Amino acid sequence: MKRIVLCPNVSRDEGLAFTRRVRAMLMDAGCEVVVSPVYGEAADLDGTELPEALFGADLLVTLGGDGTILHLAPLVKEAAVPMVGVNLGHKGFLTELDRGSADKLLDAAAGRYEIVPRMMLDIRLVRDGKEIFADTAINEALISGIVQNVRLTALGDGERILTFSGDGVIVCSPTGSTAYSMSAGGPLVEPESENLILTPICAHMLAARSFVLAPERVVTVRPQELEDKRCILSCDGRGMVELRDGDEVIVRRSDYKLYFADLGTKSFYETAFEKLGERE
């Protein structure tokens, strides 16, 4: 019997009606189904919290949007359970299915998919030689000024890449290349790649361009001359950490990966043009 974990975003599925439908469909197919809600509770559905729910799981199904997957990524990284998303939100770039194609979850439950690993980022904040914050992200680390522009230096393996003033800088994975980095003028990178992408945001410098870096590169970003300016670090949009002069935000490829169950419904290129704009 396959063990399937459903992670619904309670705010996207009113009354968990869609979750109940998916749960019933999978149980009728002979699956053991565990519900572990995100941003809420589902007591009447025998809700189980992560990571306990992932013990012995064969598949993780997210019911929400991209934000649901971004929230779950660091929580499920050690379990290495294949994940498939059903979009109940807006863009849904990371999700493969929508409400109308949810029956394809039966294919996923039967194991008819290809496992596609996605690179993750390990992010550390070092202050006065001590690590004071650490996180793992699937999309990006954002270093950004609040209201005012800030001066930043970005280094690769200790060698200076850029020093500039601007709104901030994004260090992202290939998966994150279709998110904030793209909006800031960065390139689209195939998600199976393992490069790091460094993208300045609204830089006051003509030569400040996005860089695609080698997988083994270690990127360090240092805020400078902040004085009374505010500068923050945010990992996949999960909160903000205030930065100070002399802080170092260190980003590298993680040893962990997020594993997606690819049902072959759409290619990366089809998804990019569907979600981000039509082909001419």
Side-chain angles (χ1 to χ4, degrees), residues 120-177:
M120 300 186 78
L121 303 172
D122 283 338
I123 302 147
R124 301 168 55 232
L125 171 56
V126 175
R127 177 174 297 161
D128 298 327
K130 297 179 181 178
E131 180 183 294
I132 64 166
F133 173 83
D135 201 352
T136 303
I138 184 66
N139 263 7
E140 69 213 4
L142 167 67
I143 298 93
S144 174
I146 300 294
V147 181
Q148 297 170 300
N149 64 48
V150 290
R151 188 163 181 81
L152 302 169
T153 292
L155 307 97
D157 292 346
E159 182 176 349
R160 186 169 69 91
I161 301 174
L162 284 172
T163 296
F164 68 98
S165 294
D167 285 1
V169 69
I170 302 156
V171 186
C172 73
S173 69
T175 298
S177 73

Side-chain angles (χ1 to χ4, degrees), residues 41-57:
E41 298 180 352
D44 60 325
L45 292 177
D46 301 321
T48 305
E49 293 186 5
L50 295 174
E52 180 185 348
L54 291 173
F55 182 77

Side-chain angles (χ1 to χ4, degrees), residues 20-195:
R20 295 174 200 278
R21 196 179 94 199
V22 170
R23 177 175 178 260
M25 177 183 71
L26 292 171
M27 291 178 67
D28 286 345
C31 298
E32 176 191 0
V33 182
V34 178
V35 179
S36 185
V38 180
Y39 310 123
E41 298 180 352
D44 60 325
L45 292 177
D46 301 321
T48 305
E49 293 186 5
L50 295 174
E52 180 185 348
L54 291 173
F55 182 77
D58 297 288
L59 185 71
L60 172 64
V61 178
T62 67
L63 306 170
D66 287 349
T68 307
I69 293 176
L70 297 181
H71 174 81
L72 289 172
L75 303 177
V76 305
K77 64 183 183 181
E78 295 186 15
V81 175
M83 172 189 296
V84 63
V86 180
N87 183 31
L88 306 183
H90 300 294
K91 283 290 185 185
F93 202 95
L94 297 177
T95 58
E96 182 163 359
L97 305 175
D98 54 31
R99 290 178 185 267
S101 59
D103 59 333
K104 291 187 180 296
L105 289 174
L106 294 174
D107 290 333
R112 292 190 287 271
Y113 57 79
E114 178 183 353
I115 295 178
V116 179
R118 298 282 188 96
M119 168 183 158
M120 300 186 78
L121 303 172
D122 283 338
I123 302 147
R124 301 168 55 232
L125 171 56
V126 175
R127 177 174 297 161
D128 298 327
K130 297 179 181 178
E131 180 183 294
I132 64 166
F133 173 83
D135 201 352
T136 303
I138 184 66
N139 263 7
E140 69 213 4
L142 167 67
I143 298 93
S144 174
I146 300 294
V147 181
Q148 297 170 300
N149 64 48
V150 290
R151 188 163 181 81
L152 302 169
T153 292
L155 307 97
D157 292 346
E159 182 176 349
R160 186 169 69 91
I161 301 174
L162 284 172
T163 296
F164 68 98
S165 294
D167 285 1
V169 69
I170 302 156
V171 186
C172 73
S173 69
T175 298
S177 73
T178 57
Y180 196 177
S181 174
M182 183 204 70
S183 299
L188 299 187
V189 181
E190 288 187 320
E192 292 85 358
S193 304
E194 297 209 343
N195 304 86

Side-chain angles (χ1 to χ4, degrees), residues 194-220:
E194 297 209 343
N195 304 86
L196 280 81
I197 300 100
L198 177 73
T199 303
I201 308 170
C202 298
H204 295 186
M205 177 181 175
L206 288 174
R209 292 291 183 266
S210 187
F211 283 78
V212 179
L213 306 175
E216 66 274 9
R217 199 69 63 228
V218 177
V219 175
T220 301

